[in-house]
């Protein structure tokens, strides 16, 4: 009887550990999403790019659900003059491009991703490399992204 209890408790601990790891990964990405405008402002200032001259390129991550990438782009639409989106799934961003033009006068140019081709814009926000370069964000501040 004691063997089965130990086996059951071991199994329960293992499930809880796996569940917590998945929640932490999801939680950290959502923390980054809410901070995107602040991060872009910080990076723009670090690079010495004025707000009116900012041409942001957002590189899509095919591993992430499309709604997350669209949410990031929506958060940025109010503060930009030109946004490039480099993606392998351009149909997802067509509606966003139309809405941004109507509501904010923002031109969103959607490019197909071509390996080895230069990414347009003077500041690149690569979602594929997102969590590799950003440290964990706390409630007060965040660390910089290496460009």
């Amino acid at each position: 009887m004691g063997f089965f209890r130990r086996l059951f408790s071991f199994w329960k601990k293992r499930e809880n550990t796996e569940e917590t790891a998945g929640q932490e990964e999801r939680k950290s990405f959502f923390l980054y999403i809410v901070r995107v405008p602040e991060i872009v402002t910080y990076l723009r200032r670090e690079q010495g790019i004025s707000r009116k001259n900012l041409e942001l390129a957002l590189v899509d991550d095919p591993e992430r659900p499309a709604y997350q990438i669209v949410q990031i782009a929506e958060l940025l639409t109010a503060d930009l003059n030109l946004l490039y989106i480099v993606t392998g799934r351009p149909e997802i961003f067509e509606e966003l491009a139309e809405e941004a033009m109507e509501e904010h006068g923002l031109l969103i140019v959607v490019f197909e991703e071509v390996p080895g081709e230069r990414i347009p814009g003077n500041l690149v926000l690569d979602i594929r490399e997102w969590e590799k370069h950003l440290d964990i964000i706390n409630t007060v501040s965040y660390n910089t992204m290496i460009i």
Side-chain angles (χ1 to χ4, degrees), residues 60 85 87-95 110-113:
D60 181 21
I85 298 179
T87 182
R89 44 189 183 178
E91 64 280 350
I92 293 170
F93 300 99
E94 289 174 0
E95 184 178 332
V110 181
F111 288 102
E112 283 280 336
E113 187 172 13

Side-chain angles (χ1 to χ4, degrees), residues 57 59 86 110-121 124 128:
V59 181
V86 181
V110 181
F111 288 102
E112 283 280 336
E113 187 172 13
V114 179
E117 191 171 307
R118 184 183 172 276
I119 297 174
V124 177
R128 297 174 298 192

Side-chain angles (χ1 to χ4, degrees), residues 3 8 22 30 39 89 103 109 117 131:
F3 171 74
F8 181 72
F30 285 116
I39 294 170
R89 44 189 183 178
E103 293 178 16
V109 182
E117 191 171 307
E131 292 183 73

